[in-house]
Amino acid sequence: MREILGRRRRLLSRWNDGRRRRDDKRPELIGSALTFATEWHWPVLPGVAPDPQGRTRCACPDPECTVPGAHPFDPGLLAATTDARMVRWWWTNRPNAPIVLATGGRAPCAVSLPALAAARALALLDRRGMRLGPVVAAPNRWSLLVKPYSMEQLGELLYAKDFVPGSLRFHGEGGYLALPPSETGQGAVRWERAPLAGSAAPWVPDVEAVVDAVIDALTRTGVSAPEL
C-alpha cells in the first residue's frame, strides 16, 4: 500500500510540475504577443496547436501538414491584428497557442533556410561584419527578418541571380512565421539573434542585402545540396 501511495504521489508531483511549467509559459506568450502587436505594430494571431495525441502531428484537418502547430487555422491569417484587446482575448482563451506573425504589409518579411546552412552562413557574415536584424530559429529552419518587399521586387531580385538554392524560402505578403517563444510540433521557436531591447520595432535589413549575402555565404562555405 505504501508503494502504491508513493507512486501516486510521484505521478501527481510530475503532473503538477508539468502544469506549473505550462502555466509559467502563459504570461510569457501573451506578453510577447502584446509586445509584437502593440509596441512593434506587427500583426499577429494564434497558430493551431500541435495534436495533443502526438506533438509531431498537427491539430488541423490536414494529415500531411508539414508545419505542425506553426501555422494559422482558426482564425485564418486575415484575422491577424495589432489590437491589444483582441490579442489579449486570444491568448487568455488559448494561453499556449503559438504566436504567428502575418508577414508583409507593414510587418517584416523573412528569408528562411535550413538550420545547419543558416548557422554556417551567419558565422561567415559575422566575420565579415555584416549587420543583420533579428533571426528566428526553429528546430529545422532559421528565418532572417527583412524589410517588407513586394512579389515584383522579389521576382526581379531572383531573376538577376545565376543560382538560387532551392531550399531558400521567402515569407512575404500573405505569408506567416511562428515567433518566439512559441512551441510547435517540431519543437521550440527561439531567437538566434534577439531584437534589441526597447519599445520601438527592431531594425531589419533590406531583402536584397540579405539574399545577396546568404547566397554568397552558402556558396563560399561549400554547403552541399542535401544540407540546403
Side-chain angles (χ1 to χ4, degrees), residues 92-227:
T92 298
N93 289 277
R94 298 168 59 180
N96 295 317
I99 303 171
V100 174
L101 167 71
T103 54
R106 295 183 178 180
C109 294
V111 177
S112 72
L113 60 161
L116 177 58
R120 294 183 179 182
L122 261 63
L124 179 58
L125 297 181
D126 283 344
R127 291 196 292 272
R128 294 179 177 176
M130 179 176 176
R131 183 186 181 190
L132 293 173
V135 178
V136 176
N140 297 330
R141 299 184 70 84
W142 291 7
S143 302
L144 288 69
L145 299 189
V146 298
K147 291 179 181 177
Y149 56 78
S150 67
M151 294 306 296
E152 291 78 12
Q153 181 184 3
L154 179 64
E156 292 176 2
L157 172 63
L158 298 182
Y159 182 77
K161 300 295 179 188
D162 294 328
F163 168 72
V164 178
S167 62
L168 285 183
R169 296 178 188 169
F170 299 91
H171 309 257
E173 185 75 30
Y176 58 85
L177 184 70
L179 294 177
S182 300
E183 186 78 28
T184 73
Q186 296 174 333
V189 180
R190 61 178 178 81
W191 293 112
E192 174 63 25
R193 301 289 171 86
L196 296 177
S199 59
W203 176 88
V204 292
D206 291 327
V207 64
E208 293 91 342
V210 169
V211 170
D212 288 346
V214 166
I215 292 177
D216 182 61
L218 294 179
T219 303
R220 292 179 180 275
T221 54
V223 181
S224 63
E227 291 175 320

Side-chain angles (χ1 to χ4, degrees), residues 56-93:
T56 58
R57 301 195 303 266
C58 192
C60 76
D62 182 4
E64 304 298 327
C65 181
T66 58
V67 284
H71 67 90
F73 173 62
D74 183 18
L77 185 62
L78 292 178
T81 184
T82 58
D83 182 76
R85 292 171 299 177
M86 193 73 247
V87 170
R88 190 174 287 108
W89 186 87
W90 274 333
W91 271 275
T92 298
N93 289 277

